Amino acid sequence: MSIRWLFQPSALHWAWRTAALRSTLGRQRGVLRWTHSGGHSYRAVIFDMGGVLIPSPGTVAAEWEVQNHIPSGTILKALIRDGDSGPWMRFMRGEMTTEGFLEEFGRLCSEIAKTSVPVNSFFSLLTSEQVAKQFPVMTQAISQIRAGGLQTAVLTNNFYLSNGKSFLPLDRKQFDVVVESCLEGVCKPDPRIYQLCLQRLGLQPSEAIFLDDLGQNLKAAASLGIHTIKVGQPEAAVKELEALVGLPLSGGIPNTRPVRKTMEIPVDALEKYLKGLLGTHGPMELLQFDHGQSNPTYYIRLADRQLVLRKKPPGTLLPSAHAIEREFKIMKALRNAGVPVPTVLDLCEDSSIVGTPFYLMEYCPGVIYKDPSLPGLEPDQRQAIYAAMNQVLCRIHSVDLQATGLDSFGKQGDYILRQVQTWTKQYRAAETSSIPAMERLIQWLPLHIPKQQRTTVVHGDFRLDNLIFHPEKPEVLAVLDWELSTLGDPFADVAYSCLLHYLPSSFPILKAAILQGVYKRSLTGQASSAIAKQSGKFPEFMAELAWDFAIKEGFRVFKEMPASKPLVRSYHAWAGSRPQRTPAGVRSSSTAAAAAPSQETKGSLIISPEGLSPRVRKLYDQLLQFMKENVYPLEPELQRHQASADRWSPSPLIEDLKEKAKAEGLWNLFLPLETDPEKKYGAGLTNVEYAHLCEVMGMSLYAPEIFNCSAPDTGNMELLVRYGTEEQKARWLVPLLEGRIRSCFAMTEPKVASSDASNIEASIREEDGSYVINGHKWWITGILDPRCKLCVFMGKTDPQAPRHQQQSIILVPMDTPGINIIRPLSVYGLEDPPGGHGEVRFKDVRVPKENIVLGPGRGFEIAQGRLGPGRIHHCMRLIGYSERALSLMKTRVMSRTAFGKPLVEHGTILADIARSRVDIEQARLLVLKAAHLMDVAGNKAAALEIAMIKMVAPSMAYQVIDRAIQAFGAAGLSSDYPLAPFLAWARALRFADGPDEVHRLTVAKMELRNHSRLQEPAAPRVL
């Protein structure tokens, strides 16, 4: 498909900023070596930033001093003053805040200049977008280096800005490795920072080239064996670099490379054909465009002609795919209809020339924006670019079908349905393994097809990076990649162009079936892209994203649906019922009565149990009755067991109650509907619905386990449902769902601040086909329970990877040798048996490779996905604590007398009761709002609310319980009532799943980023 990379000029002017697609596609490191005439092999180029990629501080300072009438050389003298101990070097090591640096640096400059120096003005200029722009010649060079198979890195002395972010005004996707002095705490020319960069690149010094503008930095690099280039003028440095790597880095054709061996075509036959077609004679140059996931595409220079050849790939192809004949036909027709397309020259269906059919078109220079965020452009420029994009789409959809002869270019009507059917067939033809989310989509999509409004030409792959723009103005010169074009619904193009809003910026915007086909061709060596083999994970990602989108966007507002209950504030309703199916041979682990999702409560903010659907309200009432009849009466006996010598063995009473709960259908209620849409594992409740039930369970410390809804098992089960393989689910998920085993989650460590998960030090090292685990963990809830058979372990597989890709999660059987439980830990003297909270050492614990979850480097992502629903559960249980504490308090104060009158008549008691009721209601509404947003918009969209509830609920519960204890007097401290343990766990939950400080920080940052809220002017009002 993708020919959007083909048409780019050597001079890219103001708009060209995003040079290369970063290797989230997983560029194979070190596959290619380039050897220059001297015989050295190089595998990476390392760039300094200031003075190499952007203007140096010295250059900026010299111009600023002239403009501000500051003595020449003042800034430079201050920059080098006191060497390593001076303010500039300390600032670049991250040892000073921006404010502290500017204050000290200002005094130093004023002392040198013997006049006041406005250093804030200089610093603002230095860090401004107008100045800190990457040199175009370097942007193009980096693009060519990466296209040639070499790695790139930036190694910079930089600093923190006042917003807490590091100063790096570059597109990070240009580089395989980024090393920043302020993050590492060490600056050039310290050899350690060069060694760190080489280590992350995985190279020896002799395999790298380093560019810098300062002699001392170059000298340090050279002393390690790195080849160096001193940069005076960027253009001259690029020429020197060209000679070393043996690649054209300037003035060449961007994103081209020598033809890959598997994509070679008969040059003599092609040259003969071209000379016969064009009547042109002279030497022929042939290059391959580095990208192009579908049809191999080549650049040809023959005498003064520049051409592009696009051919079908070799081998067996998917039905109707790689239709270059249709691409040629429509481009030829649209050229005469005023739609900007490249000029096509000839369609050759003779496979004897280059092995497969192909067509030729003119090479069209211009600008292609690969990053949809358009970094480096001003807001009005970005708006103009997107306006031009929309205008050209309107022109495409306005083409007269009969006048252009395109009225028979495709079938009329049912375009969306046909697309679903076509891509389902394409996916099946390319399928290499089963993707559950894809299977759900294949069943869901045909049931939710919108009605087609009109028929036009549709592009089929319309997006920003398929357009060539004029280099100096927002004008579309050509629309590329017409392979999927046909007649259809124009809204499909509009929707597809908006897809980028839902994808990571570096993700390939291709249909899942195409991604699957690319991957399958890579397995047979027939893919046109060198990175195709790494694309195997993308179809699954795309399918999961689409399924998530289908669930979220399935909620719609039905105006004709009346609100059935006054307490239900309906925002959304389910758009059509979804089939609830359980695959043959699979037993549902939920004993709740099977029923279709409630039309009344799907996506509704239900603020009281009265608003629940009949099915869920029945569960709620059952739960209340079960608690009243079975749980509360047994609490004293359960408490005595926890204080006995047998406390580290499960209570038989708990086990009996579990069987009763199963029998009544009160089992595995926690799994959210979005995670388990088929109700294969749980009861199929939304987060809002379960929140009401969870509050009831929270009224007793023993209840969650009785209903198999207790942490950490709930989070671990959801983790396995979301991310586990079928083998992992069979071994661990099924017995957890059945309540036959328990589990724990090992992340927190005693030697680091584990509130920042990136700090963890435990290692997961690959060795001889296994993973070997070493680490020291503590506060591992549930690990002392004899039924605990699984430890979900978080550790680092690659400490040199980006910060949030270092961690992995692996499933560790508890009977694996090397696990040593050191001791149980207590919370305010409470040991919480039989599960407890353990301190544990893992020493050389060897686990099979297949126990890794999702793959190396995915741990942080998994842990974050696990926490969202868990935080709702914690907070609603805390509200349950609070409700019971308030109930006990009211009963107590109505039965006790002090100072001549009942406690209930004392003003302080009444005030405490009032405050507690208000606090509970406020917290509950906030938690329910968070659950509602998770249901209708997803965990990510609810991030602010999730952080807020974790801030609010534990502190609220602590205060409400504390008031109840105060009203009880000394009895409240005793074990005769649940208030003391309620208080202990409410306090502990200010740490669990992240301390209050982390959540406050999250809320504050998100609030400051929210510019949509009404803001007061910074200056005081004048009355």
Side-chain angles (χ1 to χ4, degrees):
M1 274 177 45
S2 302
I3 60 173
R4 59 192 176 278
W5 297 71
L6 312 187
F7 307 96
Q8 303 187 13
S10 56
L12 299 180
H13 216 64
W14 59 267
W16 174 238
R17 296 282 293 167
T18 52
L21 180 66
R22 168 86 197 234
S23 57
T24 16
L25 301 179
R27 261 191 338 127
Q28 189 75 20
R29 288 190 172 187
V31 170
L32 299 175
R33 290 173 177 259
W34 292 94
T35 305
H36 81 303
S37 57
H40 293 291
S41 295
Y42 297 111
R43 298 171 63 181
V45 180
I46 305 169
F47 297 86
D48 175 38
M49 183 169 69
V52 176
L53 299 178
I54 64 174
S56 70
T59 302
V60 176
E63 296 178 1
W64 177 83
E65 287 168 344
V66 171
Q67 294 170 357
N68 289 272
H69 309 291
I70 303 298
S72 177
T74 297
I75 296 292
L76 184 57
K77 291 174 184 176
L79 291 176
I80 63 176
R81 175 71 69 88
D82 297 330
D84 282 347
S85 61
W88 179 243
M89 294 300 286
R90 286 187 285 128
F91 187 38
M92 291 192 294
R93 289 195 296 267
E95 298 170 4
M96 301 181 72
T97 65
T98 304
E99 294 75 15
F101 164 73
L102 290 175
E103 183 178 349
E104 184 173 339
F105 192 69
R107 286 198 303 266
L108 186 58
C109 288
S110 297
E111 176 187 320
I112 294 170
K114 295 182 173 31
T115 185
S116 177
V117 178
V119 294
N120 288 54
S121 167
F122 165 68
F123 189 75
S124 297
L125 178 65
L126 179 67
T127 57
S128 66
E129 288 187 5
Q130 294 89 338
V131 169
K133 285 185 177 180
Q134 189 165 315
F135 299 127
V137 67
M138 285 297 180
T139 302
Q140 186 178 358
I142 292 169
S143 174
Q144 294 298 90
I145 290 165
R146 292 172 65 80
L150 278 73
Q151 296 184 79
T152 54
V154 61
L155 172 57
T156 178
N157 286 357
N158 66 345
F159 44 80
Y160 286 113
L161 298 170
S162 56
N163 61 7
K165 296 181 180 179
S166 61
F167 176 63
L168 194 84
L170 307 173
D171 181 2
R172 290 175 181 264
K173 289 175 283 187
Q174 299 174 100
F175 306 102
D176 297 281
V177 169
V178 176
V179 179
E180 303 176 71
S181 66
C182 64
L183 300 182
E184 307 300 339
V186 60
C187 290
K188 295 174 295 183
D190 191 317
R192 290 177 297 170
I193 199 165
Y194 302 93
Q195 292 165 343
L196 179 63
C197 185
L198 290 170
Q199 183 182 7
R200 291 179 182 174
L201 287 167
L203 301 179
Q204 297 299 314
S206 61
E207 296 173 307
I209 302 169
F210 176 58
L211 288 79
D212 201 304
D213 62 325
L214 299 179
Q216 60 182 6
N217 295 341
L218 295 166
K219 184 177 179 181
S223 69
L224 297 173
I226 303 173
H227 192 99
T228 62
I229 295 176
K230 184 167 185 178
V231 180
Q233 293 297 325
E235 293 78 7
V238 168
K239 287 294 184 185
E240 187 175 347
L241 185 58
E242 279 182 338
L244 288 173
V245 299
L247 287 171
L249 303 181
S250 60
I253 304 301
N255 301 300
T256 60
R257 50 156 296 154
V259 179
R260 290 198 301 124
K261 190 170 183 61
T262 56
M263 289 293 117
E264 289 179 346
I265 56 179
V267 176
D268 292 340
L270 176 61
E271 188 172 355
K272 180 179 178 182
Y273 162 81
L274 290 174
K275 290 179 178 178
L277 175 70
L278 304 173
T280 303
H281 296 276
M284 185 180 78
E285 178 185 8
L286 181 67
L287 298 170
Q288 182 181 355
F289 285 99
D290 186 59
H291 196 63
Q293 292 284 7
S294 184
N295 293 322
T297 310
Y298 304 83
Y299 169 82
I300 300 170
R301 185 190 296 273
L302 183 64
D304 59 347
R305 299 293 296 271
Q306 295 186 78
L307 312 170
V308 173
L309 182 151
R310 188 155 159 84
K311 69 185 285 289
K312 290 188 177 185
T316 303
L317 306 179
L318 296 177
S320 305
H322 311 282
I324 61 166
E325 300 88 354
R326 289 178 60 81
E327 202 171 333
F328 176 84
K329 177 180 178 180
I330 193 166
M331 289 171 71
K332 187 174 182 179
L334 293 178
R335 182 75 180 178
N336 299 322
V339 175
V341 291
T343 302
V344 292
L345 300 176
D346 190 45
L347 171 68
C348 178
E349 300 182 271
D350 182 358
S351 298
S352 67
I353 297 177
V354 297
T356 60
F358 66 92
Y359 73 89
L360 285 172
M361 55 185 158
E362 296 280 2
Y363 176 75
C364 177
V367 175
I368 295 179
Y369 299 102
K370 301 173 197 172
D371 188 335
S373 66
L374 299 176
L377 300 191
E378 297 299 324
D380 59 335
Q381 293 174 325
R382 291 196 293 269
Q383 183 179 6
I385 290 294
Y386 276 104
M389 175 184 180
N390 294 334
Q391 288 165 6
V392 81
L393 184 59
C394 291
R395 289 165 68 181
I396 293 170
H397 293 160
S398 301
V399 167
D400 187 322
L401 301 181
Q402 289 189 336
T404 54
L406 293 173
D407 50 333
S408 61
F409 189 63
K411 296 179 181 179
Q412 302 276 343
D414 294 328
Y415 171 73
I416 303 296
L417 178 61
R418 285 186 285 110
Q419 285 289 291
V420 171
Q421 293 170 343
T422 297
W423 292 113
T424 300
K425 291 177 184 177
Q426 299 283 46
Y427 171 74
R428 291 294 187 211
E431 191 174 12
T432 54
S433 62
S434 177
I435 300 176
M438 190 73 78
E439 300 304 322
R440 292 194 288 266
L441 279 170
I442 288 171
Q443 296 205 18
W444 186 89
L445 284 169
L447 302 176
H448 299 81
I449 301 295
K451 186 178 293 185
Q452 183 164 336
Q453 302 297 319
R454 55 191 283 251
T455 298
T456 69
V457 170
V458 292
H459 181 277
D461 192 17
F462 190 80
R463 60 182 192 267
L464 185 66
D465 58 345
N466 270 339
L467 308 179
I468 303 174
F469 282 84
H470 193 285
E472 297 182 5
K473 55 185 177 180
E475 176 187 338
V476 177
L477 299 180
V479 182
L480 308 177
D481 217 345
W482 291 88
E483 178 187 346
L484 302 178
S485 60
T486 185
L487 302 184
D489 190 329
F491 277 110
D493 276 345
V494 176
Y496 193 66
S497 69
C498 295
L499 179 61
L500 57 91
H501 293 286
Y502 298 92
L503 293 175
S505 62
S506 54
F507 194 87
I509 310 176
L510 301 175
K511 293 178 174 68
I514 293 175
L515 290 166
Q516 187 65 37
V518 168
Y519 177 61
K520 186 172 184 179
R521 289 200 307 279
S522 76
L523 300 180
T524 60
Q526 297 172 350
S528 61
S529 171
I531 57 177
K533 190 169 289 188
Q534 284 76 44
S535 66
K537 65 182 179 181
F538 292 138
E540 182 173 2
F541 176 92
M542 186 72 88
E544 289 175 352
L545 180 72
W547 178 243
D548 186 63
F549 186 82
I551 291 172
K552 302 302 185 304
E553 295 305 309
F555 294 104
R556 290 289 184 267
V557 177
F558 284 87
K559 294 181 180 178
E560 65 273 15
M561 185 195 302
S564 58
K565 302 200 184 291
L567 290 173
V568 180
R569 183 182 177 189
S570 179
Y571 290 97
H572 304 270
W574 189 251
S577 61
R578 294 182 299 144
Q580 300 296 326
R581 56 189 177 85
T582 300
V586 177
R587 181 171 63 82
S588 173
S589 299
S590 169
T591 54
S598 162
Q599 296 294 323
E600 292 86 357
T601 62
K602 275 286 186 195
S604 299
L605 177 53
I606 307 165
I607 64 174
S608 78
E610 287 78 10
L612 294 169
S613 69
R615 178 177 80 95
V616 182
R617 180 59 193 268
K618 181 181 178 183
L619 287 174
Y620 181 86
D621 291 340
Q622 280 183 272
L623 193 60
L624 283 175
Q625 191 69 17
F626 191 99
M627 295 283 289
K628 180 180 178 181
E629 294 179 356
N630 299 293
V631 180
Y632 300 138
L634 290 179
E635 283 184 335
E637 182 61 32
L638 294 172
Q639 188 182 52
R640 282 192 289 273
H641 178 81
Q642 281 195 316
S644 71
D646 297 327
R647 63 187 181 280
W648 297 109
S649 297
S651 166
L653 290 176
I654 291 283
E655 298 306 307
D656 291 343
L657 290 176
K658 285 182 177 180
E659 294 305 316
K660 286 185 180 180
K662 281 185 186 179
E664 294 191 23
L666 301 173
W667 191 253
N668 290 337
L669 303 172
F670 65 92
L671 272 173
L673 181 64
E674 64 166 320
T675 300
D676 182 29
E678 299 167 1
K679 296 197 297 183
K680 181 178 177 181
Y681 304 110
L685 303 179
T686 65
N687 284 295
V688 167
E689 290 171 335
Y690 178 65
H692 289 280
L693 276 61
C694 192
E695 178 182 335
V696 176
M697 295 181 205
M699 294 183 185
S700 172
L701 293 169
Y702 306 101
E705 181 186 352
I706 291 169
F707 306 108
N708 211 36
C709 293
S710 61
D713 289 337
T714 49
N716 291 340
M717 285 188 271
E718 186 169 357
L719 180 151
L720 287 166
V721 171
R722 281 176 178 264
Y723 309 114
T725 64
E726 292 306 314
E727 293 76 12
Q728 291 167 351
K729 291 176 183 177
R731 182 173 180 185
W732 303 115
L733 178 61
V734 171
L736 280 168
L737 287 166
E738 293 175 351
R740 292 188 282 113
I741 67 172
R742 301 295 305 273
S743 63
C744 61
F745 186 81
M747 187 190 83
T748 305
E749 297 180 5
K751 294 185 178 180
V752 297
S754 300
S755 55
D756 180 353
S758 65
N759 281 342
I760 63 170
E761 295 178 341
S763 66
I764 304 174
R765 187 183 75 257
E766 188 175 349
E767 183 181 289
D768 299 330
S770 301
Y771 284 109
V772 178
I773 297 170
N774 284 280
H776 185 187
K777 302 282 187 179
W778 72 343
W779 294 106
I780 310 308
T781 299
I783 199 168
L784 292 108
D785 194 316
R787 299 164 297 178
C788 182
K789 304 299 181 185
L790 170 66
C791 176
V792 180
F793 184 95
M794 187 171 182
K796 287 188 176 179
T797 42
D798 184 2
Q800 306 305 323
R803 187 178 176 211
H804 293 134
Q805 296 172 25
Q806 300 174 4
Q807 306 84 5
S808 299
I809 282 181
I810 195 163
L811 306 177
V812 183
M814 282 299 296
D815 58 1
T816 309
I819 301 176
N820 176 32
I821 300 175
I822 300 169
R823 58 170 176 150
L825 302 166
S826 64
V827 179
Y828 294 130
L830 300 173
E831 293 178 316
D832 198 23
H837 312 275
E839 181 177 358
V840 193
R841 283 196 184 276
F842 296 79
K843 182 172 176 57
D844 297 330
V845 178
R846 188 173 292 272
V847 180
K849 286 187 70 174
E850 56 267 24
N851 284 24
I852 199 97
V853 181
L854 274 189
R858 307 289 293 277
F860 201 89
E861 164 194 348
I862 296 167
Q864 288 299 306
R866 176 184 182 275
L867 287 178
R871 286 173 177 160
I872 295 288
H873 305 170
H874 277 319
C875 293
M876 289 308 290
R877 282 194 291 265
L878 285 164
I879 291 168
Y881 291 2
S882 305
E883 281 287 7
R884 191 169 179 201
L886 180 56
S887 177
L888 289 168
M889 178 185 181
K890 290 187 295 183
T891 301
R892 180 78 170 182
V893 299
M894 286 190 288
S895 65
R896 309 283 283 189
T897 299
F899 303 103
K901 59 181 178 180
L903 286 177
V904 73
E905 295 180 11
H906 286 269
T908 56
I909 295 292
L910 293 171
D912 282 350
I913 291 172
R915 280 200 299 267
S916 292
R917 171 50 59 203
V918 171
D919 290 347
I920 292 170
E921 294 299 327
Q922 288 175 331
R924 180 190 287 116
L925 284 172
L926 187 58
V927 178
L928 291 173
K929 178 191 176 187
H932 170 70
L933 285 173
M934 289 169 65
D935 285 334
V936 300
N939 294 7
K940 186 174 181 181
L944 175 62
E945 283 71 19
I946 292 171
M948 287 196 291
I949 64 172
K950 193 59 178 58
M951 260 178 61
V952 167
S955 296
M956 176 280 298
Y958 187 90
Q959 291 170 356
V960 169
I961 298 163
D962 184 66
R963 291 178 196 133
I965 291 174
Q966 198 70 17
F968 263 79
L973 302 174
S974 72
S975 58
D976 294 349
Y977 299 93
L979 296 175
F982 278 170
L983 189 77
W985 296 122
R987 183 63 185 84
L989 282 168
R990 289 184 61 194
F991 290 113
D993 289 350
D996 289 358
E997 291 78 6
V998 170
H999 299 295
R1000 282 198 291 263
L1001 184 65
T1002 299
V1003 171
K1005 286 183 175 179
M1006 295 183 78
E1007 179 65 22
L1008 290 171
R1009 286 200 298 266
N1010 189 345
H1011 300 297
S1012 64
R1013 299 189 194 276
L1014 184 64
Q1015 295 183 353
E1016 290 289 335
R1021 293 179 178 177
V1022 179
L1023 299 178

